[in-house]
Amino acid sequence: MIVSSLSNQQLEFYAREGYVFLGSVMDEPTLENFRAEEARFRDAKTDAPGQLTIFRSQVHDFSPVVREYALNGPHLGAMQQLVAPNLALWFNQFVTKLPDGESQKSEFPWHQDNGYVSIEPANNVTIWIALDDVDEENGCVWVVPRSHENGLLDHTPKGADSWFLNVPVEGDGVPAILKAGEAVAFTGLTLHRSKWNKTGRARRAFFLEYADASATFGKDKTSILRAPESWIVRGAAPISSFS
């Protein structure tokens, strides 16, 4: 069964814990189409030798498959419940972890999505969709329950040669173990990470970020609708965004 809305119990859990398991948000044909697009974008350019995590961002402008899902997918009703009636697509990205062995190079450290780009109001949501079955062995997402209650935290670079940001966290958090086509949603302030892929197969995933259409981003508090490739997906844009 494909999820199109959330129960009161799920909404209460999300508000309290800062994340929620949605269940299945992609049917099998859509899942296969996304896997084909992941392969196409993965081969679209040459990455640095030895790179074990491949990021392909803002692909909806280049893919009718992604664009149709991002703008009209069955998950949008749930996104409105979590964010606002006037909903904007803010970001989307394929993230593929290649087999890593024990090098741990594909580990992505603890962070908040709003640690990279601050959004106000901070009721934005990330929906993280597994394109393969994911668990602790192949690099699933881990979340820290109720961490969104602490607001936006200070982030520091992981290292001099890395653009990854990091927040120190004690403990392991909760693993988001998902079947292919299932999703977890979390707030822009929820601490999360993913570990390295210990298996011999690629771990493919896709995520989208949605925000209130009246939101602003960055230090200058620019309208989110002025951001590159930001689209209204439900409701209407506030008139103030055109001023």
Side-chain angles (χ1 to χ4, degrees):
M1 178 179 173
I2 303 300
V3 171
S4 60
S5 64
L6 302 179
S7 67
N8 288 336
Q9 184 178 13
Q10 286 176 300
L11 293 172
E12 291 169 1
F13 185 93
Y14 179 84
R16 183 178 68 250
E17 303 295 331
Y19 74 98
V20 65
F21 292 105
L22 302 183
S24 181
V25 295
M26 280 189 182
D27 59 24
E28 193 60 33
T30 303
L31 188 57
E32 286 303 318
N33 286 338
F34 264 77
R35 287 167 173 163
E37 288 296 83
E38 184 277 332
R40 186 168 73 93
F41 281 101
R42 193 197 305 190
D43 295 336
K45 64 180 180 179
T46 302
D47 292 282
Q51 182 172 348
L52 293 175
T53 304
I54 299 172
F55 303 93
R56 295 289 184 263
S57 305
Q58 300 297 68
V59 295
H60 61 288
D61 266 353
F62 305 92
S63 168
V65 168
V66 171
R67 184 165 59 252
E68 172 62 24
Y69 186 83
L71 303 183
N72 297 299
H75 63 293
L76 290 180
M79 297 300 98
Q80 284 182 293
Q81 288 178 284
L82 296 178
V83 181
N86 297 327
L87 189 69
L89 171 67
W90 158 249
F91 191 74
N92 59 91
Q93 187 177 75
F94 283 108
V95 183
T96 303
K97 286 181 183 283
L98 301 178
D100 192 327
E102 293 296 330
S103 76
Q104 303 184 25
K105 289 182 179 179
S106 65
E107 183 170 13
F108 203 99
W110 290 112
H111 67 284
Q112 300 164 306
D113 284 340
N114 287 9
Y116 282 89
V117 181
S118 179
I119 297 177
E120 296 182 10
N123 61 345
N124 53 301
V125 62
T126 295
I127 174 171
W128 195 99
I129 305 169
L131 303 182
D132 298 294
D133 294 353
V134 295
D135 56 26
E136 294 111 318
E137 291 299 306
N138 67 350
C140 69
V141 167
W142 296 66
V143 297
V144 178
R146 306 194 180 190
S147 55
H148 65 304
E149 296 177 347
N150 297 320
L152 186 59
L153 304 174
D154 290 332
H155 290 62
T156 57
K158 180 182 178 182
D161 60 345
S162 174
W163 59 268
F164 295 171
L165 298 179
N166 181 54
V167 174
V169 171
E170 294 184 5
D172 286 333
V174 175
I177 298 173
L178 304 169
K179 295 291 186 182
E182 294 181 344
V184 59
F186 45 86
T187 81
L189 297 175
T190 300
L191 284 164
H192 60 285
R193 66 166 175 182
S194 60
K195 295 185 178 181
W196 62 100
N197 181 1
K198 302 176 186 178
T199 72
R201 305 176 305 279
R203 187 232 68 186
R204 299 166 293 182
F206 183 77
F207 73 84
L208 308 104
E209 294 186 37
Y210 294 93
D212 191 316
S214 64
T216 61
F217 74 98
K219 294 181 180 179
D220 296 333
K221 295 188 176 181
T222 304
S223 168
I224 200 167
L225 297 177
R226 302 292 186 186
E229 287 94 35
S230 184
W231 296 50
I232 287 287
V233 296
R234 289 285 176 93
I239 297 299
S240 60
S241 67
F242 292 97
S243 60

